[in-house]
Amino acid sequence: MPTLHIEHAIVSYDAWKAAFGRFAEVRARSGVRHQRVQRPVDDPDYVVIDLDFDTVTEATRFLDFLREKVWPSTENAPALVGSVHTRILEPADQEPA
């Protein structure tokens, strides 16, 4: 199962969480099967998000959506600070989708 892995700094977890919540339906329609949100124990102003998809194509399309529609907008991403680091990952023991 491919995973879109996202990491970035934030100004406020509460502001970030509210913005993330507004896109729950979009994530579901885009094929997100599972999601995990974590923060480093030593940095509450940083988030690590893993979004699981059925295919690499779905993960890539959603990443494109985030890059084009969400992250450039301070209205859509009010808590985002600096650069966003992303990777699409697959389990090491499986063939690519």
Side-chain angles (χ1 to χ4, degrees):
M1 176 172 283
T3 299
L4 172 55
H5 179 84
I6 304 164
E7 297 188 26
H8 60 82
I10 55 174
V11 295
S12 158
Y13 181 74
D14 290 338
W16 177 87
K17 187 175 178 181
F20 185 76
R22 287 193 297 272
F23 288 92
E25 188 175 315
V26 175
R27 286 191 301 278
R29 284 194 322 259
S30 298
V32 174
R33 300 293 175 222
H34 302 95
Q35 63 186 36
R36 287 171 304 287
V37 176
Q38 301 178 88
R39 295 191 295 176
V41 295
D42 60 347
D43 189 354
D45 294 328
Y46 197 86
V47 290
V48 177
I49 306 108
D50 287 320
L51 305 173
D52 295 334
F53 295 83
D54 288 334
T55 68
V56 171
T57 300
E58 288 175 325
T60 302
R61 280 191 203 131
F62 192 70
L63 177 55
D64 291 343
F65 164 76
L66 293 172
R67 287 178 173 157
E68 295 169 10
K69 304 289 184 190
V70 177
W71 295 331
S73 166
T74 56
E75 182 178 328
N76 289 333
L80 180 64
V81 176
S83 300
V84 178
H85 304 283
T86 64
R87 289 184 181 209
I88 296 176
L89 308 169
E90 290 186 310
D93 60 348
Q94 292 182 353
E95 294 294 319

